[in-house]
Amino acid sequence: DARLRVLSGIQPTADSFHLGNYLGAVRQWVRLQDTHDTFYMVVDLHAITVEQDPKVLRERTRASAAQLLALGVDPDRSALFVQSQVPEHAQLCWVLQCLTGFGEASRMTQFKDKATKQGTDRASVGLFTYPILQAADILVYQANAVPVGEDQRQHLELSRNLAQRFNHRFGKTFVVPEPYIVADTAKIFDLQDPESKMSKSASSQNGLIELLDDPKRSAKKIRSAVTDTGREIVFDPEHKAGVSNLLTIYSALAGRSTAELEAAYSDKGYGDLKKDLAEVLVQFVTPFQERVRSYLDDVAELDKVLARGAERARAVASETLSLVYDRIGF
Ligand code: ADP
Ligand code: NA
């Protein structure tokens, strides 16, 4: 396979994906299948860096996989798997931890943010070494490209440094991964607070659209989205964050450019825009939810799909790990 290899993952830490996860990540995963050799995983090892209930974690892991499939990740074209089913992630992680300086790990700002929220003494060591596991995730597949948002840049930089350090010390072993800025990645903002990004940890649940939520409730959230006091429907994220966010979502879901939408709504009001977008959203989530249900109705088959994905992933990961072990003298 001469195509560049891409790797990405999503945490099973919510009952449903939200609109930001889809428009900012998964939609691009689906498209990359046309051009790249794609590896996509549900990162359950990362999920236990904070406390998880075993039953809930198992359900969310399956639900995440079902949602990826329902959104268009094709298990015949992509390796779709659950991280804990490929032991090489944890094995390579240990090797990389021994190559990472304590100070270097301490400089990861995302740990500082998250640990501060929990209280630094209570935060797990796993949360601290999370970026090193992320490096292992990437390097074990010799991935060339990693789709990253701004908040992940520092972690990818660590992966690159570790790959280069290992190669320098033990001989060329790892591909040094490049950040991959995917065209057309939308950043989605909170409907009630359009200055902040839409997130599962948002303070107001009314600003969050979860794909598995009751479509009627999501439609209502769209109709009550915060907009500014003007009347014109124009795409101007700096001055009209709320309206621009709605246009971004509309554009992505309906496959119409924001310019096209501006023209279509030039003599209409915010109410019309919201009403139509609510309808577009319902049309999108209704068949999506049916597909998710059908995957979750046959858990045995879903588990088989994931086992095949893990096998495919292990074929690559075990090869990398043997080489690494050999290089370091095991
Ligand atoms: P959350 O921010 O809700 O905790 P995650 O951090 O689990 O979501 O994100 C999973 C993926 O979804 C990441 O690739 C992330 O960049 C993307 N993502 C999350 N929220 C948004 C958003 N509001 N807009 C665009 N992409 C997003
Ligand atoms: Na996040």
Side-chain angles (χ1 to χ4, degrees):
D1 199 333
R3 295 172 304 171
L4 293 182
R5 183 170 293 154
V6 162
L7 172 105
S8 202
I10 193 154
Q11 283 203 54
T13 45
D15 292 329
S16 171
F17 291 177
H18 60 72
L19 210 45
N21 299 145
Y22 176 51
L23 299 179
V26 179
R27 199 165 72 118
Q28 287 66 36
W29 293 16
V30 172
R31 292 184 176 168
L32 284 165
Q33 296 180 122
D34 295 335
T35 49
H36 288 68
D37 180 22
T38 43
F39 282 64
Y40 297 133
M41 58 186 175
V42 180
V43 292
D44 56 348
L45 295 179
H46 285 281
I48 65 162
T49 53
V50 295
E51 212 173 300
Q52 297 289 322
D53 177 84
K55 182 168 177 287
V56 174
L57 178 60
R58 189 170 285 118
E59 279 167 10
R60 286 176 169 177
T61 299
R62 286 202 181 105
S64 299
Q67 289 175 89
L68 291 174
L69 291 163
L71 291 171
V73 171
D74 174 356
D76 290 328
R77 293 198 290 160
S78 295
L80 173 65
F81 61 99
V82 175
Q83 187 187 27
S84 62
Q85 293 179 13
V86 183
E88 286 81 2
H89 291 256
Q91 291 174 296
L92 180 59
C93 181
W94 176 254
V95 173
L96 296 179
Q97 286 187 58
C98 296
L99 285 181
T100 308
F102 188 79
E104 185 179 27
S106 307
R107 285 191 291 275
M108 296 293 125
T109 54
Q110 209 176 71
F111 171 75
K112 286 186 204 160
D113 296 346
K114 288 189 180 170
T116 309
K117 274 185 211 148
Q118 293 178 30
T120 311
D121 280 346
R122 299 196 42 194
S124 71
V125 175
L127 188 66
F128 180 66
T129 58
Y130 184 117
I132 307 173
L133 179 57
Q134 239 175 15
D137 296 340
I138 298 166
L139 302 185
V140 85
Y141 296 107
Q142 306 285 3
N144 309 90
V146 182
V148 280
E150 223 19 78
D151 54 339
Q152 291 297 323
R153 271 185 174 277
Q154 199 186 26
H155 292 176
L156 185 64
E157 205 43 45
L158 177 69
S159 305
R160 291 171 51 82
N161 288 339
L162 289 172
Q164 281 159 347
R165 190 171 306 157
F166 191 101
N167 289 348
H168 183 74
R169 207 169 290 175
F170 301 104
K172 175 90 182 75
T173 306
F174 291 117
V175 168
V176 180
E178 299 286 339
Y180 189 79
I181 308 299
V182 190
D184 220 15
T185 304
K187 185 166 180 187
I188 307 302
F189 296 91
D190 188 294
L191 297 179
Q192 290 300 315
D193 171 19
E195 310 285 325
S196 322
K197 78 169 203 157
M198 184 178 284
S199 166
K200 61 182 171 250
S201 43
S203 48
S204 140
Q205 290 299 301
N206 284 331
L208 174 72
I209 299 287
E210 290 179 298
L211 302 186
L212 291 175
D213 198 2
D214 176 3
K216 284 204 204 79
R217 219 162 72 122
S218 294
K220 200 168 154 202
K221 287 183 185 178
I222 296 273
R223 289 195 304 268
S224 45
V226 164
T227 39
D228 56 274
T229 50
R231 320 177 43 161
E232 256 187 300
I233 297 176
V234 289
F235 187 72
D236 178 358
E238 203 181 316
H239 302 105
K240 295 169 85 87
V243 170
S244 301
N245 188 37
L246 295 178
L247 286 170
T248 301
I249 297 168
Y250 199 149
S251 166
L253 290 181
R256 299 167 69 180
S257 70
T258 51
E260 202 180 322
L261 292 170
E262 282 176 347
Y265 285 90
S266 62
D267 56 0
K268 292 183 180 162
Y270 292 163
D272 302 304
L273 175 72
K274 291 180 186 175
K275 191 168 139 288
D276 293 351
L277 174 57
E279 187 50 35
V280 166
L281 182 77
V282 170
Q283 294 299 326
F284 174 75
V285 295
T286 304
F288 162 76
Q289 293 183 1
E290 275 167 29
R291 291 194 296 274
V292 171
R293 262 195 302 275
S294 79
Y295 286 115
L296 291 176
D297 277 347
D298 193 350
V299 166
E301 176 57 28
L302 180 62
D303 288 352
K304 254 191 246 165
V305 168
L306 294 171
R308 274 200 300 272
E311 213 175 292
R312 195 162 147 189
R314 281 201 82 179
V316 178
S318 64
E319 202 177 309
T320 304
L321 193 75
S322 311
L323 183 61
V324 166
Y325 273 17
D326 184 55
R327 291 270 152 91
I328 56 183
F330 290 165

